[in-house]
Amino acid sequence: MEWKIMLKQLQVKNNFVFNAVKTFKLVKADEHKIKVLFPSDSAKVEFDKISGEFFNHFKRKIQNHIIEVEYVRDVENLKIEVVTKRKMFEKFIEKNPLLKDLDDLMKFDLT
């Protein structure tokens, strides 16, 4: 629950870090151990920027200061998407529908 609250605050405060850490999963492994599942090393670097503040708050909240944190790379949840020029253009069309008319008129080569 605290993780979700922190993500909401982070989304407003620092959207870049939010996008990097929103796929992280915190799993209670033991009474005094939390596993942090992260998708990539670059995302973990962004998490390291906020982890100290988050875990200090979390430890005070639950009144347990001997919690250990274990980082585990979660390769299964790593989302790799190949973005073609066509897909990028379609995302732009969602934001600006006039681009569709321009594409119809100009016949862009988006292969």
Side-chain angles (χ1 to χ4, degrees):
M1 188 166 116
E2 290 298 317
W3 177 247
K4 289 180 183 178
I5 292 170
M6 193 275 304
L7 282 177
K8 286 180 184 177
Q9 293 172 350
L10 193 59
Q11 187 175 16
V12 173
K13 193 167 78 173
N14 190 341
N15 202 26
F16 180 76
V17 176
F18 167 76
N19 286 326
V21 301
K22 68 182 177 184
T23 59
F24 278 47
K25 292 183 179 149
L26 277 67
V27 179
K28 181 179 175 182
D30 193 335
E31 278 300 312
H32 303 293
K33 189 178 234 181
I34 295 176
K35 283 187 180 181
V36 177
L37 305 173
F38 64 96
S40 68
D41 292 330
S42 59
K44 186 179 179 306
V45 168
E46 295 301 322
F47 179 72
D48 288 341
K49 294 177 183 177
I50 61 162
S51 64
E53 180 183 340
F54 171 72
F55 285 118
N56 283 337
H57 168 74
F58 183 73
K59 289 176 182 180
R60 277 193 315 261
K61 181 83 173 183
I62 64 168
Q63 297 178 358
N64 185 348
H65 295 280
I66 57 174
I67 290 178
E68 296 176 13
V69 180
E70 179 184 346
Y71 293 96
V72 178
R73 186 157 185 182
D74 188 16
V75 185
E76 294 174 9
N77 288 331
L78 181 59
K79 181 180 166 185
I80 298 174
E81 180 181 349
V82 177
V83 180
T84 63
K85 291 180 182 180
R86 172 56 66 188
K87 284 185 182 179
M88 285 175 39
F89 190 73
E90 287 171 0
K91 288 183 182 182
F92 286 128
I93 288 175
E94 290 174 11
K95 293 180 182 179
N96 188 350
L98 291 176
L99 288 174
K100 175 80 171 120
D101 296 336
L102 186 62
D103 182 38
D104 293 339
L105 180 66
M106 303 293 290
K107 306 286 188 234
F108 294 131
D109 181 21
L110 299 171
T111 56

